[in-house]
Amino acid sequence: MIQSIYKQDLFKDKVVLVTGGGSGIGLRITKELLFLGAHVVIAGRNEEKLAHAIDELHDYQHQVSAVPCNIREEEQVEQCVDAILSQHSRIDFLVNNAGGQFPQPANEMKIKGWRAVIDTNLNGTFIVSQKVYNKSMKQNGGAIVNILANMWNGFPEMAHTGAARAGVENLSKTLATEWGPEGVRINSVAPGIIRSSGFDTYDENFTAYLRQAAKDNKTYRLGTEAEVAAAVLFLLSPAAHFITGETIKMDGGEPLNNPKFPHKEHGKMPPWDGSGKF
Ligand code: ADE
């Protein structure tokens, strides 16, 4: 059973669409939302991953369902949103978590790879947000949380996703302005280096680099999926009703590095991994 810092039933009967909810950070967000009483629809391109997640979530079988959907394809997104609305009649919250990228120096990047990442991480986020807004949130209000990345000083060897996530950050402010009058909030969480299942998809060299880079923040460790989920759930919760167009950086203060204040292991900020006492 999952642990949460939030009170029981906080999201009772809320309907949430989590893109990329079949694995990693998206799955952790999904589990905590289910634990707190929400109905969650996980959407993703990989049907096998979705089926695996549904298996894993069998304790919540009456609260969770999966819809296969490639967020790059407008028609598929429309069908996905329509299917959710025919079952639940509204979508209260959207977590734009689906995304993908691969490490490569910018000068070697093929335009096809560049376009694919922009298409998923930026265009896909826009398409899903627009459909959910037009078909539900415009009438009923709601909240959207986008998952970004630590791209504040550029994103070396990830130029495509850095540009896409920076685009989503700006998009959030536009949507917060345009959709705020209809009672819709749009915020983001920008994770630093998180110990997630996505980690296993990178090659050894890149993983070694990430592990070294993990010491480059105030906690001297990697972040956890539970920590990212906690920030996402806060932004969805009523405690954040006065917050829109904002981004929470969840990165241990990594962008605040200063050679005069080198990081060291202190053990005073242990990971909130959902299982510890606090
Ligand atoms: N996860 C990664 N890429 C995706 C896509 N294009 N659609 C949905 N989920 C995804």
Side-chain angles (χ1 to χ4, degrees):
M1 192 171 73
I2 207 154
Q3 301 248 333
S4 173
I5 62 162
Y6 298 105
K7 70 171 183 185
Q8 248 192 330
D9 292 341
L10 180 64
F11 296 111
K12 190 166 169 43
D13 295 333
K14 294 292 183 189
V15 180
V16 192
L17 169 56
V18 181
T19 67
S23 61
I25 289 170
L27 181 57
R28 181 57 180 75
I29 292 166
T30 297
K31 285 178 182 171
E32 193 161 349
L33 285 166
L34 292 168
F35 177 70
L36 296 170
H39 291 272
V40 183
V41 181
I42 56 177
R45 204 175 36 164
N46 185 329
E47 293 193 34
E48 228 173 273
K49 230 188 236 180
L50 291 178
H52 194 265
I54 293 294
D55 265 0
E56 193 178 331
L57 300 170
H58 65 266
D59 283 354
Y60 298 101
Q61 58 184 298
H62 302 298
Q63 283 169 255
V64 67
S65 57
V67 186
C69 173
N70 183 345
I71 61 168
R72 299 179 194 176
E73 302 295 335
E74 186 176 9
E75 251 180 54
Q76 282 190 36
V77 175
E78 287 229 30
Q79 284 167 10
C80 160
V81 172
D82 286 344
I84 298 167
L85 292 175
S86 68
Q87 198 190 344
H88 294 288
S89 77
R90 58 173 212 287
I91 297 171
D92 298 298
F93 303 136
L94 163 64
V95 181
N96 280 313
N97 165 77
Q101 52 270 312
F102 54 90
Q104 196 169 44
N107 67 310
E108 293 172 14
M109 228 171 242
K110 301 272 183 292
I111 193 66
K112 193 173 168 209
W114 167 273
R115 283 206 173 108
V117 173
I118 300 290
D119 211 14
T120 303
N121 296 3
L122 176 59
N123 300 343
T125 297
F126 174 72
I127 293 170
V128 180
S129 301
Q130 190 204 48
K131 300 305 165 208
V132 168
Y133 175 76
N134 282 338
K135 287 173 182 279
S136 177
M137 289 187 180
K138 189 173 193 299
Q139 293 77 45
N140 307 311
I144 299 174
V145 176
N146 303 308
I147 305 298
L148 306 180
N150 176 3
M151 45 58 193
W152 310 103
N153 299 318
F155 205 154
E157 301 196 331
M158 290 271 205
H160 40 27
T161 204
R165 309 291 184 171
V168 172
E169 216 253 340
N170 189 274
L171 173 67
S172 303
K173 292 181 184 146
T174 300
L175 301 185
T177 306
E178 291 191 16
W179 299 351
E182 307 302 332
V184 179
R185 297 181 300 110
I186 296 95
N187 292 295
S188 306
V189 174
I193 303 175
I194 305 300
R195 189 195 305 274
S196 82
S197 60
F199 237 57
D200 306 331
T201 65
Y202 298 130
D203 70 26
E204 255 172 56
N205 280 346
F206 196 72
T207 305
Y209 154 75
L210 289 174
R211 290 204 184 285
Q212 186 54 38
K215 297 178 179 168
D216 233 5
N217 69 66
K218 315 305 170 214
T219 67
Y220 212 73
R221 63 169 173 83
L222 301 172
T224 66
E225 292 177 348
E227 286 169 326
V228 178
V232 171
L233 268 60
F234 165 69
L235 288 172
L236 294 177
S237 80
H241 275 177
F242 212 52
I243 303 176
T244 192
E246 263 310 322
T247 298
I248 295 179
K249 292 179 182 139
M250 175 59 74
D251 57 17
E254 192 185 339
L256 303 176
N257 286 354
N258 185 311
K260 235 181 144 181
F261 297 89
H263 298 121
K264 57 189 178 193
E265 191 149 22
H266 50 70
K268 295 173 196 159
M269 301 174 192
W272 161 241
D273 65 0
S275 59
K277 289 198 173 115
F278 59 101

